[in-house]
Amino acid sequence: MKEIYESKFVEKLFDKMSSSYTKVNYITSFGFSERWRKQCVEEIEIQEGKVIVDLMTGMGECWKHILKKSNNTSQLIGLDFSSGMINKAKKRKEKFSQFKIELLKENVFDNSIEREFADYVISGFGLKTFNDEQLSKLANEIDRILKPNGKFSLIDVSVPKIGILQPLYMFYLKKIIPIFGKVFLGSPETYKMLGIYTEEFGNSRNVFEIFKKTNFEVEYVEYFFGCASGIKGVKK
């Protein structure tokens, strides 16, 4: 299982999914993915005239929630290492021409964002593709780019622990979602990986424990009976 966390493997996976990811993600989550992104962003109060970094930005699905209360004095930096995702994000950027949006095709662990440059860090649905060692590096990197008192909010899909919901949810992730992969990509194996990552990830409890060890005040958050979870916090 070690190879599924290697950067090149994850990059190629999301390159393959980029043509259909938004549609499949929305359909297979019954619209909850959009709601969870909105809730993740709303966990922190984003003020105008600030710098917001959206890590693992994908196609920029969180942007409309991030920019909702911003104006043209704010700056949004979207970072992702998938060419397919970044190309889709470039098209989305055209819809937000009144805002300052910079896209970086870079690995989160080797990026050009200056130290203590960001007021806020957001990330939606990227945590499950990291192992523990990588999550520790992610915590250190968010610590590096955040200003003192800067805030962050991170979210990902999770395995619920409530009775019958858990096996049903995992059956859906591992058996039904790959069917959508076959329909949209002709490849069930590609979307099957989302179920594998989610099962290995479990929930954000481990992320919470890792981030507690760094320079943060951090809080664990659950959404819709644990079908999604995340953390939010502030840099001390």
Side-chain angles (χ1 to χ4, degrees), residues 39-40 59 71 73 104 129 143-144 155-157 172 228:
Q39 290 176 311
C40 172
M59 302 179 189
N71 56 25
T73 64
L104 300 176
T129 60
D143 185 19
R144 185 187 71 82
I155 191 173
D156 215 320
V157 291
Y172 184 72

Side-chain angles (χ1 to χ4, degrees), residues 194-209:
L194 295 182
I196 293 172
Y197 279 121
T198 302
E199 187 172 32
E200 288 294 313
F201 178 68
N203 58 42
S204 296
R205 286 286 182 189
N206 190 44
V207 183
F208 171 73
E209 293 298 329

Side-chain angles (χ1 to χ4, degrees), residues 111 113-116 140-146 235:
N111 68 76
I113 300 172
E114 295 178 13
R115 183 178 183 84
E116 296 188 351
N140 292 335
E141 190 56 29
I142 292 176
D143 185 19
R144 185 187 71 82
I145 65 177
L146 265 182
K235 179 177 175 178

Side-chain angles (χ1 to χ4, degrees), residues 30-211:
F30 304 101
F32 274 100
S33 59
E34 187 66 22
R35 179 180 178 182
W36 291 334
R37 285 188 181 95
K38 183 174 184 286
Q39 290 176 311
C40 172
V41 173
E42 290 179 346
E43 292 290 349
I44 53 179
E45 186 66 33
I46 295 178
Q47 300 175 352
E48 295 180 352
K50 302 294 185 179
V51 177
I52 310 105
V53 174
D54 184 22
L55 296 178
M56 291 80 77
T57 194
M59 302 179 189
E61 296 98 324
C62 287
W63 294 359
K64 69 178 181 180
H65 307 301
I66 294 172
L67 297 171
K68 186 176 180 180
K69 295 184 179 180
S70 301
N71 56 25
N72 57 13
T73 64
S74 301
Q75 180 180 357
L76 173 60
I77 300 173
L79 183 148
D80 204 292
F81 64 2
S82 164
S83 297
M85 292 293 186
I86 284 290
N87 288 336
K88 294 289 185 180
K90 287 178 181 177
K91 293 181 179 179
R92 188 184 297 264
K93 181 180 174 180
E94 296 172 3
K95 300 177 182 179
F96 295 94
S97 57
Q98 71 272 37
F99 296 100
K100 298 176 182 176
I101 301 176
E102 180 182 2
L103 284 171
L104 300 176
K105 185 195 175 302
E106 297 176 354
N107 191 307
V108 66
F109 303 128
D110 184 21
N111 68 76
S112 59
I113 300 172
E114 295 178 13
R115 183 178 183 84
E116 296 188 351
F117 187 70
D119 296 285
Y120 307 104
V121 170
I122 299 288
S123 184
F125 305 112
L127 296 174
K128 63 182 172 293
T129 60
F130 296 131
N131 60 28
D132 285 0
E133 181 182 353
Q134 291 167 328
L135 286 170
S136 293
K137 290 180 179 179
L138 178 65
N140 292 335
E141 190 56 29
I142 292 176
D143 185 19
R144 185 187 71 82
I145 65 177
L146 265 182
K147 296 176 183 176
N149 300 313
K151 298 178 181 179
F152 62 91
S153 182
L154 321 174
I155 191 173
D156 215 320
V157 291
S158 304
V159 180
K161 293 185 177 181
I162 299 177
I164 191 65
L165 188 59
Q166 181 180 357
L168 285 175
Y169 188 72
M170 289 311 302
F171 176 81
Y172 184 72
L173 276 176
K174 297 175 75 173
K175 301 297 183 181
I176 305 301
I177 288 181
I179 295 174
F180 285 93
K182 183 172 179 60
V183 170
F184 287 98
L185 285 179
S187 171
E189 294 302 315
T190 302
Y191 276 95
K192 184 179 180 180
M193 286 305 304
L194 295 182
I196 293 172
Y197 279 121
T198 302
E199 187 172 32
E200 288 294 313
F201 178 68
N203 58 42
S204 296
R205 286 286 182 189
N206 190 44
V207 183
F208 171 73
E209 293 298 329
I210 289 171
F211 272 66

